[in-house]
Amino acid sequence: MTSALTWTLQILLIPLLSPFFIGLTKRIKARLQNRTGASSFQPYRDLWKLLHKDEIVSEDASWLFMIAPYLIFATTLVIGASVPLFSTALTNSYSGDFLVVVYLVALGTFMLALAGIDAGGAFGGFGSSREMLVAALTEGGLILSLVTLALVSRSTNLAAISSSIASLPLSGYLPVGLAFIGFSIAMLAETCRYPFDNPSTHLELTMIHEAMIIEYSGKRLALMEWGAANKYLIFIALGANLFLPRGIAGSLEAAPLALALVMFLVKAGAFCAAIAIIESSIAKLRIFRLPDLLFTSFVISAIAAGLVR
Amino acid sequence: MTDFLTSPGVFYAILAVFAIGAAGAPALGRSNRAANFWGNGLAIAGSLAGLAFSGAVLIDGRTPAFSADSTLPLLSFSFRLDRLSAFFMAVICFVALLCSVYALGYVRHYYGKYSLGLLGFFYNIFIASMIVVATAHNALFFLIAWEVMSLASYFLVVYEHRESANVRAGSLYLVMTHAGTAFIIFSFLLMHQATGSFDFEAIAGGMAQASPLARNAIFVSALIGFGMKAGFIPLHIWLPSAHPAAPSHVSALMSGVMIKTGIYMLIRICFGIMPAVSLWWGLLIIAIGAVSSLLGVLYALSEHDLKKLLAYHSIENIGIILLGLGSALVFSSLGMDSLAALALAAALFHTVNHATFKALLFLGAGSVIAATHTRNIEKYGGLIKRMPQTALFFLIGSMAISALPPLNGFFSEWLTFQALFQGVNAFDVTTKIVFILAIGSLAFTSGLAAACFVKAFGVTFLARPRSNDASQAKESEIFPRLAMAGLAAAVIGLGLFSGRFLRLLSGVAGSLANTHNAAAADAAGFSSVSVQNGFAQISMPAVFIALGLAAAAIAMAVFLWTRRRRVLTGPTWDCGAALTPRMEITATGFSRSIITVSRRVLRPRSETEIEYHDANRYFPKAGEVTMGLHDIYRTYIYRPLQDLTTVVAGLMTRVQSGNINAYILYILLTLIGLLFFLGSSIPS
């Protein structure tokens, strides 16, 4: 019974919380820029509004454009159920392998890029082109940083990695720390954040993600935005629970679970604050400078993997 | 039943079916229809029977061996089907079966243009020779089959002989494949020198006494010879020009299956014939695999000919297979048998996966080309509305080749990754670095492949048509669609039932000489596959079901929530200008950023042509950017080789005086020399 309950919680936690953390990041950014900013719950209101609107679909679009939002949202749900959020006791040996997570993310990106081209507009196409450039070059650093963890913990299962890093002695932290740097860069790229993409603009010259979903409206736009929010929180959860898993529950008892939930919220909040500070303090890079940064992520992660004994 | 199925008589009967198909097609050459149905019908019958035969051998686990008499010394027409042979024969027959079904409808556009009889003749010979290549058990017999396969495929490449580009591609293929054959002959001769036999069994038995130098020489020349056929970089230059030139169902066979015969022989030689390998063999193959996969996909990205793009992806996938094969060699040289079996199973799994999705993609490309009369993807667009089923099948193939879950390409890349992880785990620094770089290249490769297929699928099928032909395209006929549906089902099925299939492949890998006992991968419960005692676990059916359930649940919830909202149709936002196909992204534009990023490796060159309204060049009318790549292989490897050959040939002409008396003098001198040589070497 408890297991069924915690599984429900595990599956629903990401989609339920993700709009809040998007809102929180925006709010912190606003405060850093001396603005009041909208409430952290604003994204929920936006989604509510979009779901109550009629929808306009381009006459050039095909069935792919119609099903893509559902598929993309579905991938984020499956990934959300596969990553450790608050307990390592929920060992998911079916889809909890980190390669499954990375490639499910790639599946979402693939559908997103195709949907961007489908309407035949001028923006969607170049958004897709840029997205695939960034996604392809991110893959190496992302996978190698997670490989480092897998080699340290002798398992590629995410829950197993989390519990093993949680009990890692401090002396073994060097490769993990290096891998975390590699992962952070990959994470900013995957979640369309500075210095890769500007999440809060519709300026033609800078956008990637917003360009791809520009033809969407109504409920499908809501699903796209919500899916992107899910992905954001998923990457935060990966960063928080794989690299800094202190506080995660090792069992399914009520007290440690509650504590772990609180810890997760606190850590996710800290990640949002860090990202907001990064976004407020640096400029967006030119698109042709991005590969340098992503290659840095790859090299650091490769060194980290090489350091594992 | 299996007793009957696996008997020699059935095998000969299968070859006879292909022979009848080959002989009958030209005889019926007058009637296009009759030649088509005869040639392809018998190819279907033969492939079906071959599939049943090899399937029975695989399931039954026995190794039928039989031979026909030969009066020539050293040559024996002997066949032996161990599990490796049976596996490759099954892959050949399966792909050939669906390609032949496809051809029934596809070749109609050759009616009245090219001879269907000749196509049927070479097509049947080609399939039969591939089956013999995979099952022959004597080196000389193997060479005959290999040569027949190369020649049959050459004639298929130049089938559309009125296009001069095809003839040129064919000539290059012919030269390259014979250079490869020369190396293969050399390695067989070395084997004969070391063991005194051309029989694979006898060679394997005697190889233990061979010197390390001989083994290394055999390995290197076999690697070059068979690598030429497999098409890894830098031996690949014939591949991107030859595969597109052939009719599409033949391209599917060449790319999906024929290049795998090179892989088959590499496995046969490294694991069956010469056990106890050296460490550097494996590391060399991993390095070649890493370079081939990464460069293959980068070249594919810069390609705008749909079939050439697919051909470059074959180089990429051969690279991925080599990563598995190389790791298997490394593990087996260090005596880690179960890991070697795992890595080999990964290579075999990717072999069959690539055969299915690449054949599917080539067949889809064939349908698109038949409907639009061009191979240039810039001229497509919007085909998803005109060819919806072809689009769906091509999408499935694109997702599989981009290694997206839950399709089969993902699973074999996952297994390859696991094999590479074990390599990082286990060894000294040098080996570790090789494995880490291999992981990196595999990761980048799959990311770039996804980018490439977003381009290929997006520009071909999505948005608006960019040419008149594309806007009038029609869905293909029933047989081509049936064949693509069959391959798409195989792509999905191999992903869904990957656990069961892996068990079969572990058996194949485990049966080879130096990977004996137990496989490291284990399929249990809900088809959950576990690698290396729980180092990694995965269940493809679970991923499948989870994705399906999640999508269905969301669709349901959104439907219930927004039932009363309308969905309107409107034009795409046009920024105030008229909406034309020119506003869509082109294939050149799509890949430009990635090519620019990797300019150090790719050496791109671009030409910009702008037409102006006025003489002062202030108001541009139309502009065109053409991007291409410098062919560094031709410039730095093949051109110097060619020049060297010309110089040597020039020197040889001095000997060749054209005077018949001089030639008789040469023969006399040679005879005298030989007599002295033999007289001194034979002990009296």
Side-chain angles (χ1 to χ4, degrees), chain A residues 48 51-64 66 70-71 73-75 77-78 93-95 97-100 103-104 106-107 110-111 113-115 117-123 125-126 128-130 132-133 135-141 143-144 147 150-151 154-157 214-215 219-220 223 226 288 291 295 298 302 305-306 308-309, chain B residues 384-385 388 391-392 395 398-399 402-406 410 413-414 417-418 421 424-425 432 436-437 439-440 442-444 446-448 450-451 453-454 457-459 462-464 526 528 534-539 542-543 546-547 550-551 554-555 558 561-562 564-573 575 579 583-585 589-594 596-597:
Chain A
W48 183 265
L51 283 169
H52 285 82
K53 286 198 166 207
D54 287 348
E55 191 184 359
I56 298 184
V57 176
S58 160
E59 57 204 12
D60 295 317
S62 64
W63 51 263
L64 204 122
M66 307 298 275
Y70 296 100
L71 256 177
F73 198 91
T75 59
L77 274 190
V78 176
S93 61
Y94 295 135
S95 61
D97 189 273
F98 80 80
L99 288 171
V100 176
Y103 279 86
L104 278 175
L107 174 62
F110 188 83
M111 297 311 290
L114 283 183
I117 299 177
D118 200 6
F123 293 103
F126 78 68
S128 302
S129 166
R130 290 173 180 179
M132 292 320 289
L133 166 73
L137 297 181
T138 313
E139 205 106 313
I143 286 182
L144 268 181
V147 166
L151 294 177
R154 310 237 168 253
S155 169
T156 59
N157 186 287
I214 206 160
E215 277 298 324
K219 63 185 181 218
R220 289 197 169 80
L223 282 180
W226 202 344
F288 288 118
F295 198 64
F298 172 73
V308 179
R309 237 171 255 118
Chain B
I384 194 170
K385 295 219 175 98
L392 177 66
L395 180 66
S398 305
M399 288 170 68
S402 310
L404 298 176
F410 168 72
E413 280 199 20
W414 182 84
F417 265 122
Q418 296 302 340
F421 293 168
V424 184
N425 231 341
K432 213 171 192 166
I436 288 176
L437 291 180
I439 292 171
L442 185 52
F444 281 128
S446 59
L448 290 168
F453 274 94
V454 167
F457 184 84
V459 175
L462 302 180
R464 288 176 301 278
F526 203 34
S528 177
F535 179 82
Q537 281 178 314
I538 191 177
S539 162
V543 176
L547 270 175
I554 301 151
V558 171
W561 199 340
T562 62
R564 274 168 296 163
R565 307 278 95 80
R566 285 176 303 163
V567 179
L568 310 167
T569 312
T572 304
W573 182 45
C575 313
L579 202 62
M583 291 174 72
E584 298 161 20
I585 187 126
F590 190 92
S591 49
R592 188 175 189 167
S593 48
I594 296 183
T596 312
V597 163

Side-chain angles (χ1 to χ4, degrees), chain B residues 219-234:
Chain B
F219 170 75
V220 171
S221 53
L223 185 65
I224 296 174
F226 293 113
M228 201 77 86
K229 190 62 85 181
F232 54 66
I233 288 175

Side-chain angles (χ1 to χ4, degrees), chain B residues 119-186:
Chain B
L119 181 62
F121 177 75
F122 288 117
Y123 184 67
N124 277 288
I125 297 270
F126 180 46
I127 300 174
S129 62
M130 284 196 291
I131 293 177
V132 177
V133 159
T135 51
H137 203 56
N138 173 286
L140 292 183
F141 180 36
F142 170 87
L143 274 174
I144 294 171
W146 184 262
E147 195 55 29
V148 171
M149 178 178 84
S150 300
L151 287 177
S153 54
Y154 163 73
F155 284 111
L156 291 169
V157 166
V158 296
Y159 178 64
E160 293 177 40
H161 55 83
R162 263 161 240 147
E163 313 236 347
S164 60
N166 292 352
V167 177
R168 239 178 296 128
S171 308
L172 177 62
Y173 172 50
L174 203 61
V175 170
M176 290 293 285
T177 191
H178 281 102
T181 308
F183 280 97
I184 295 169
I185 293 174
F186 183 60

Side-chain angles (χ1 to χ4, degrees), chain B residues 12-23:
Chain B
Y12 290 134
I14 294 165
L15 293 184
V17 170
F18 285 112
I20 297 168

Side-chain angles (χ1 to χ4, degrees), chain B residues 9 93 112 118 124 126 131 156 215 228 243 280 286 315 318 348 363 381 394 425 456 460 470 493 537 564 566 657 684:
Chain B
C93 290
L118 279 181
N124 277 288
F126 180 46
I131 293 177
L156 291 169
R215 286 154 171 282
M228 201 77 86
H243 287 200
W280 67 270
I286 291 179
I315 299 170
I318 286 291
L348 291 174
L363 297 188
F394 199 90
N425 231 341
T460 305
Q537 281 178 314
R564 274 168 296 163
R566 285 176 303 163
S657 60
S684 51

